Amino acid sequence: TSGWTSLPWQLIGRYLAQGGAYFGAKKANEPLHVQYGYDDRSVVVVDNRHASASGLTVRATLFNPDGTQKYDKTVTGVKVNGDGAHASPLTLPSSVSGLATTYLLRLTLTDGSGKEVGRNVYWLSSKPDTLDWANTDWYYTPTTSYADLKGLTSMAQVPVSATASTASSGGTSTTTVTLRNTGSGKTPSLLTDVHLVDAKGQPVLPVQWSDNEVSLWPGESA
């Protein structure tokens, strides 16, 4: 991919399909956003609105690829100013007992009423990328070793159900699709991708999804 994200080909495909980059950009630019700092393991809340926000709750949870929870921390009463300001209510520990080499981080942000207003899911490794800074130049830095993310291949497939209802008004139809992780275990469904297909299994386009590429833990729906 290019260094500068473009609307055609990357965010929106040739046949007007929203790609993964579209939903990644949408997530990164949500009004209230919670994110992880790869450099210092900080959890940061960003307020992209003009108004400040207070009474927020931030929760950070670490999981092994099988869904086993290894760390959970909640911070309440978080306040952040507007216009792109940020607050860092917590920092993840550098080591957690029993955490696999490849692991998952789920961040959630809820407002004062308990409504979830932000979520971010990362797959991380206790073995970081190693960059060869001695041989860098103005456009490229070699990587001598890569983060170990092989643990993702061991994740079990989990059942995901989908229900849909359609409403029409003024010549336009809107279909609401609800996904649910119906697994009985602990394993999440990462980046669940929904497509609309015809009777022959061919994609129906253009379709405008309000959200997609969602990650769901057992019992969760979106």
Side-chain angles (χ1 to χ4, degrees):
T1 59
S2 67
W4 295 97
T5 303
S6 59
L7 178 62
W9 313 122
Q10 292 180 327
L11 297 184
I12 305 293
R14 179 178 181 179
Y15 297 103
L16 301 183
Q18 297 157 295
Y22 175 93
F23 297 103
K26 177 179 181 292
K27 173 65 66 176
N29 289 280
E30 59 190 352
L32 286 171
H33 180 66
V34 60
Q35 65 187 33
Y36 171 71
Y38 285 88
D39 56 343
D40 59 3
R41 302 181 63 84
S42 61
V43 175
V44 177
V45 178
V46 182
D47 188 350
N48 291 311
R49 312 169 312 159
H50 177 63
S52 62
S54 60
L56 302 174
T57 297
V58 176
R59 182 180 181 185
T61 313
L62 297 177
F63 302 87
N64 281 344
D66 63 0
T68 304
Q69 181 177 305
K70 291 299 179 179
Y71 173 86
D72 189 41
K73 178 72 172 181
T74 299
V75 178
T76 60
V78 177
K79 180 179 180 180
V80 59
N81 294 326
D83 297 324
H86 63 274
S88 182
L90 67 98
T91 299
L92 299 184
S94 57
S95 63
V96 174
S97 177
L99 195 64
T101 302
T102 304
Y103 59 95
L104 307 175
L105 166 62
R106 183 184 65 193
L107 301 176
T108 59
L109 179 66
T110 55
D111 62 16
S113 67
K115 177 184 177 181
E116 185 175 296
V117 294
R119 170 182 288 220
N120 231 337
V121 177
Y122 297 80
W123 45 90
L124 302 169
S125 174
S126 59
K127 177 187 176 184
D129 291 323
T130 302
L131 301 178
D132 185 7
W133 292 112
N135 292 304
T136 190
D137 52 37
W138 68 273
Y139 69 94
Y140 175 68
T141 300
T143 301
T144 56
S145 64
Y146 293 92
D148 184 354
L149 297 174
K150 294 190 295 293
L152 293 175
T153 64
S154 68
M155 292 185 67
Q157 291 187 348
V158 296
V160 176
S161 67
T163 58
S165 60
T166 301
S168 299
S169 177
T172 300
S173 294
T174 300
T175 299
T176 301
V177 179
T178 301
L179 303 177
R180 178 177 292 275
N181 181 336
T182 58
S184 58
K186 300 178 181 179
T187 308
S189 170
L190 292 182
L191 291 180
T192 306
D193 191 19
V194 183
H195 296 270
L196 182 64
V197 298
D198 60 19
K200 297 181 180 180
Q202 298 300 310
V204 176
L205 294 169
V207 172
Q208 183 177 352
W209 295 97
S210 62
D211 201 6
N212 212 334
E213 308 280 354
V214 295
S215 297
L216 302 171
W217 265 252
E220 289 187 334
S221 61

